Amino acid sequence: MASVTLYVSLPSPNVSQVSTAYSNILAHPEQFYQGSDIVWMMISSALVFIMIPALSLIYAGLGNRSFAMTLFRLPLITAAFIGFQWALWGYALTFTQSNLSTSWWGSEMRAFALADVLARPVGSGDGITGTSIPELVYVVYEGMFASFTAAIVCGGTMQRVRPARFLVFISLWSVLVYYPVARWSWYTDGWSKKLGIMDFAGGTPVHIVSGTTVATFSIFCSIEQYKNLKDLKGAVQQVFLDVAESFITPWKERLANSVELYDLLASIIASKRNKHRERPSSHSDGENGDATSEENVNEDCLDHQEAIPQDPEHGVPNSVPNSVRGGEVNDAPDGPPAPRQTSIRPRKSESYSINYVLLGTAILWFGWAGFNGGSALGGNLRAVSAWTSTHAAASSGGTTAVILIWWQKKKARGSNVRAKQPFSNITALYFCDGALAGLVAITPGAGYVPVWSAVIFGAVSTLFVNFFREPARIILKNDPLQIFLLHAGAGVVGMSLTGLFAIQTTIGLDGHSRIPHEGQYTRGQRLGYQLVDSVAGISYTFVVTMLILCFMKLVVHCFASSTSPNDLEDNDPQAVEMHEWV
């Protein structure tokens, strides 16, 4: 039998430290880098890029109809602006050594305009003895993160700033906010990295930072509406009162429902007792007995009807069928049920297209495989674990949201005060919110926590987002898409849970990574450091973003009121007139 010759990659290649000239790496990169790692990182970069048009679909679907077209195209244009800047100076400022007095930004000249970032090794994982990937691969992958983070911020600009001026803002913001936070989280000399804070794929630099930016944007726009300090003070006090009322009202309604249930049961018991006391003897005259019995039954029915909650629109008991309304039997078939005041169909002003939101969520879910799985910086079992955890968290979050909204709908339908409990969104939107909350929450911990814990990330983040939905709506009135709650809120939940559930077994699945400061921190200490990083990201982002907005207000009058959405026709395909782009 003839023999054949072929080249077979070893199942577990040996990793060893090699010192060689950079020219040798350029001449024979295949001898120093694993092709499978490079392929997986390129696929992951493409998957992260797909998430940007997915955001366009979600924002266009959730946004106001008049601004749907702007929200559809602005994320992609923003991503292109930031991608261009990333190639010129973004990577150099974020991931290179600093020769400045402060290490807030990098300063290696070779990295500006990607002049010399071709094949230098970049270590993968959390260890110092693992395999490396070429620097250019790392540049492409991290550049997608920068573009995606900036695209998230687009959702907070609806109806508030012209797109061209937003691009000026996001350019300044990326240099002053995103690059420093990404550097302290992921670069080896970052203070957060040195403390051993675990952020696998961007809980703080991506989600907390982008969500806080939108919240700052909303607060800034709200402040502009008041011409003096007295009006502003009164508005702040009213916001606090409204938030307190949003927490108190559900408990008041539960107490009122309990009292009404007690009154209902008491009236039924009382009517039964009166009926028993006034029931005639079985030896009495049939005529009198029948009359007395009929009278008591009628009184019992009247008492029971008074106890049954009345429909506020039609004035008839909700639980009594049409055939017996009015105290008499009606042989005609029951007509269609009276329309309820509770509507579960979203209004046109709240969402433009549910299908856009569902499609965008599906694509975003798909792209998150590269977002989290690629953060292992190689094709290894840790990447598989990260993607599996991501999928489990999204599934858990979506399922929890559906169960929660079904329970709320059932509760509202059984409530006596339906008008106070409208449902402005249908189940599909709640499912998308829950799935996205799970995706955001698992982002910092995908490569640190065991797969089984991912369902906890999804469920807890979804409950957190739904619990604070009403307070967030009251405080951040200029954040209609609630980006702060979904990204920053779920991001903080994910960072906290990462500190509680991180284990060495998951971290070491790539073959070389170790848990930061192994044996030195307790779980409580790790949780504390994770919260420190989250609070630092929120505080720094809020302060610097507010300064940028004030600067632009003073210099270019950027945030003067633009065309109101009410002035635009709903069927206008342009949605925003051309002069609004400049």
Side-chain angles (χ1 to χ4, degrees), residues 476-547:
L476 302 175
K477 295 182 179 179
N478 288 295
D479 180 17
L481 306 186
Q482 295 195 330
I483 296 174
F484 172 76
L485 180 61
L486 184 60
H487 287 274
V492 172
V493 171
M495 289 290 289
S496 303
L497 294 178
T498 299
L500 294 177
F501 289 99
I503 59 173
Q504 172 57 37
T505 303
T506 302
I507 298 172
L509 289 177
D510 57 4
H512 57 84
S513 293
R514 309 295 301 177
I515 190 169
H517 301 284
E518 185 176 7
Q520 300 180 20
Y521 294 158
T522 64
R523 292 192 182 275
Q525 290 174 322
R526 291 193 184 279
L527 172 61
Y529 280 123
Q530 296 291 113
L531 291 175
V532 166
D533 186 73
S534 301
V535 172
I538 293 174
S539 303
Y540 176 80
T541 302
F542 178 83
V543 172
V544 178
T545 302
M546 185 64 73
L547 292 176

Side-chain angles (χ1 to χ4, degrees), residues 272-573:
K272 294 296 183 182
R273 287 178 177 176
N274 294 334
K275 178 181 177 181
H276 179 73
R277 291 173 181 175
E278 298 176 3
R279 179 174 299 172
S281 174
S282 58
H283 301 284
S284 58
D285 295 336
E287 181 178 355
N288 294 335
D290 292 341
T292 305
S293 178
E294 180 179 357
E295 181 180 356
N296 291 334
V297 170
N298 289 337
E299 290 178 357
D300 183 29
C301 292
L302 290 176
D303 292 339
H304 184 61
Q305 287 186 7
E306 290 177 0
I308 296 178
Q310 301 291 321
D311 189 305
E313 182 175 354
H314 301 280
V316 295
N318 295 327
S319 60
V320 180
N322 296 335
S323 58
V324 296
R325 286 181 179 173
E328 60 184 10
V329 177
N330 183 3
D331 294 332
D334 290 347
R340 298 178 181 271
Q341 290 189 355
T342 301
S343 174
I344 60 176
R345 183 177 62 185
R347 297 188 298 269
K348 181 183 68 174
S349 60
E350 289 191 349
S351 58
Y352 173 62
S353 174
I354 305 300
N355 293 333
Y356 280 6
V357 180
L358 286 170
L359 180 59
T361 301
I363 298 175
L364 204 63
W365 193 331
F366 173 73
W368 228 286
F371 195 84
N372 286 355
S375 294
L377 302 182
N380 49 58
L381 191 55
R382 191 181 186 191
V384 177
S385 175
W387 166 228
T388 306
S389 297
T390 301
H391 181 67
S395 301
S396 172
T399 303
T400 302
V402 170
I403 294 174
L404 183 63
I405 188 60
W406 283 348
W407 177 75
Q408 291 177 350
K409 285 180 179 180
K410 181 178 180 181
K411 177 183 174 183
R413 286 166 180 160
S415 173
N416 298 335
V417 190
R418 291 194 177 92
K420 294 183 180 180
Q421 300 183 24
F423 286 92
S424 57
N425 292 324
I426 63 175
T427 304
L429 291 180
Y430 278 80
F431 168 79
C432 293
D433 270 358
L436 293 177
L439 290 170
V440 171
I442 197 60
T443 294
Y448 291 106
V449 301
V451 174
W452 63 263
S453 66
V455 296
I456 300 176
F457 280 70
V460 173
S461 61
T462 299
L463 295 174
F464 179 89
V465 168
N466 279 273
F467 182 78
F468 287 99
R469 189 183 299 275
E470 185 64 17
R473 184 192 63 81
I474 295 172
I475 298 174
L476 302 175
K477 295 182 179 179
N478 288 295
D479 180 17
L481 306 186
Q482 295 195 330
I483 296 174
F484 172 76
L485 180 61
L486 184 60
H487 287 274
V492 172
V493 171
M495 289 290 289
S496 303
L497 294 178
T498 299
L500 294 177
F501 289 99
I503 59 173
Q504 172 57 37
T505 303
T506 302
I507 298 172
L509 289 177
D510 57 4
H512 57 84
S513 293
R514 309 295 301 177
I515 190 169
H517 301 284
E518 185 176 7
Q520 300 180 20
Y521 294 158
T522 64
R523 292 192 182 275
Q525 290 174 322
R526 291 193 184 279
L527 172 61
Y529 280 123
Q530 296 291 113
L531 291 175
V532 166
D533 186 73
S534 301
V535 172
I538 293 174
S539 303
Y540 176 80
T541 302
F542 178 83
V543 172
V544 178
T545 302
M546 185 64 73
L547 292 176
I548 295 173
L549 293 174
C550 293
F551 171 77
M552 295 187 68
K553 177 70 176 180
L554 293 174
V555 175
V556 297
H557 304 285
C558 170
F559 295 95
S561 59
S562 59
T563 303
S564 172
N566 297 325
D567 298 334
L568 301 174
E569 296 294 336
D570 285 340
N571 58 357
D572 182 8

Side-chain angles (χ1 to χ4, degrees), residues 149-184:
T149 305
I152 295 176
V153 182
C154 296
T157 66
M158 183 176 64
Q159 309 175 22
R160 286 159 191 83
V161 62
R162 297 176 179 179
R165 294 175 180 176
F166 168 76
L167 295 176
V168 176
F169 161 79
I170 206 66
S171 299
L172 294 174
W173 174 88
S174 62
V175 174
L176 299 177
V177 178
Y178 177 76
Y179 297 161
V181 178
R183 182 178 178 84
W184 87 44

